[in-house]
Amino acid sequence: MNSSHEMPPGTVATLKVSNHDRDLAGLTYVYPVLSRRAGGVSIGINLNPNNACNWHCAYCQVPGLVRGKAPAIDLARLEAELRGFLADLIHGDWMTRHVPEGARVIRDIAFSGNGEATSAEVFPEAVALVLRLRDEFGLSSQAVPVRLITNGSLLAQGHVQEGVRRLGEAGGEVWFKVDGGSVEAIERINGVRLEPAAVARNLARCAELCPTWVQTCMFRWDGALPTDTDIDAWLAVLEAAGTERLRGVLLYGVARPSMQAEAPRISTLTVDELEAIAERARKKGLTVRVSP
């Protein structure tokens, strides 16, 4: 990177699937991760550097997570950081220094970070900025899509819909979190009290604006597998949204330890256990990709 984006000594290491540290690049809004689901380097856009989210997911890896929304975003700083980082990834030696051989490819640019990205007041403007820089560096929408990873809870808001619409028009996609299908499961897993019908409405709305995958994290809770009733309720939400509208389901397990108080209650599912859940979704006509 150029001198204005030098990384603090000792903060940069080889990227690993097991480490999604937002500070690896020493920047405020931009961070790289090695994404198991994307299959290479994902350039993260963190609009929640204050660690604030309107949900509290039991499996969340963000330390010091607090309730709230994104702070005021310095769009000029976001642009400078992303332009500098893209320049070093594409024209410099950052990949050689910090990415394992065989994974040195940019797979996507993803709005993810330490909270709910759509809670930023300038969310649509941030989307437009990222899309413009992606095009400026000659990265095609097919090779490097821009993704939004979201809990989808703010999809009724006009500015959120505008940002999602811009993503859809530019060949992007949304990964929309649906971890539970009952009021009780959603409250236990995601720390919010929501009616499943409201989740289904937001999911349907999202899928109409942009190609949308459902992303679902499943795990053992106090040693117990998700019950048949839990899985039936989860599938019912997807069916209520309209399975024909969805690109599919990204079903994954817990690869990194939770940093929340609920961490001791969470343990991983086996590949076979995840595949058994995936098969039930496939019988509903859904494409399912499993990432243990």
Side-chain angles (χ1 to χ4, degrees):
M1 285 193 171
N2 60 41
S3 59
S4 65
H5 293 92
E6 288 293 334
M7 300 173 191
T11 62
V12 181
T14 299
L15 294 187
K16 299 177 182 178
V17 166
S18 60
N19 184 4
H20 282 196
D21 186 350
R22 312 296 195 231
D23 297 323
L24 280 175
L27 304 173
T28 298
Y29 298 119
V30 177
Y31 66 98
V33 298
L34 193 58
S35 172
R36 58 194 165 132
R37 283 175 287 166
V41 175
S42 175
I43 302 171
I45 306 296
N46 182 14
L47 298 185
N48 303 79
N50 59 349
N51 293 355
C53 188
N54 62 341
W55 284 21
H56 176 96
C57 295
Y59 55 79
C60 183
Q61 301 98 26
V62 175
L65 184 70
V66 297
R67 295 279 187 172
K69 65 177 185 177
I73 303 300
D74 183 343
L75 290 173
R77 182 167 189 169
L78 171 58
E79 180 168 358
E81 288 187 358
L82 183 56
R83 177 175 277 111
F85 195 63
L86 284 170
D88 203 21
L89 282 176
I90 295 168
H91 305 302
D93 63 351
W94 201 94
M95 287 276 206
T96 303
R97 288 183 290 132
H98 305 298
V99 181
E101 191 172 357
R104 293 170 184 164
V105 58
I106 303 173
R107 288 300 188 190
D108 67 8
I109 303 174
F111 285 91
S112 180
N114 292 8
E116 177 51 42
T118 64
S119 68
E121 292 183 8
V122 295
F123 172 67
E125 290 82 1
V127 169
L129 185 159
V130 169
L131 291 170
R132 174 167 54 81
L133 287 181
R134 191 268 310 269
D135 295 343
E136 180 182 310
F137 278 86
L139 302 172
S140 72
S141 60
Q142 291 78 23
V144 185
V146 178
R147 293 186 167 109
L148 166 65
I149 301 175
T150 178
N151 62 37
S153 61
L154 305 177
L155 255 295
Q157 298 182 10
H159 79 287
V160 176
Q161 292 178 24
E162 178 58 27
V164 173
R165 182 181 295 108
R166 289 180 181 183
L167 271 183
E169 291 171 348
E173 65 183 24
V174 175
W175 292 1
F176 188 115
K177 182 191 301 292
V178 183
D179 294 323
S182 66
V183 172
E184 294 75 20
I186 294 168
E187 188 168 23
R188 171 170 52 85
I189 298 169
N190 305 123
V192 289
R193 193 162 183 84
L194 281 177
E195 290 293 334
V199 177
R201 283 195 300 272
N202 279 336
L203 178 56
R205 184 180 285 120
C206 186
E208 289 170 357
L209 296 169
C210 183
T212 298
W213 288 80
V214 168
Q215 63 158 11
T216 298
C217 184
M218 288 203 176
F219 45 84
R220 291 177 179 271
W221 183 265
D222 292 338
L225 287 166
T227 66
D228 287 342
T229 300
D230 290 333
I231 297 168
D232 286 342
W234 167 68
L235 288 171
V237 170
L238 308 193
E239 289 183 292
T243 54
E244 72 285 351
R245 291 190 177 103
L246 305 173
R247 288 299 174 96
V249 176
L250 304 170
L251 179 63
Y252 64 108
V254 179
R256 300 180 302 281
S258 167
M259 299 298 288
Q260 310 312 312
E262 296 88 349
R265 309 189 73 175
I266 294 170
S267 55
T268 59
L269 298 179
T270 67
V271 174
D272 287 346
E273 288 165 346
L274 284 168
E275 284 290 352
I277 296 169
E279 191 55 34
R280 291 182 61 174
R282 292 182 182 118
K283 288 179 180 178
K284 300 292 185 179
L286 288 158
T287 297
V288 185
R289 299 176 183 171
V290 175
S291 300

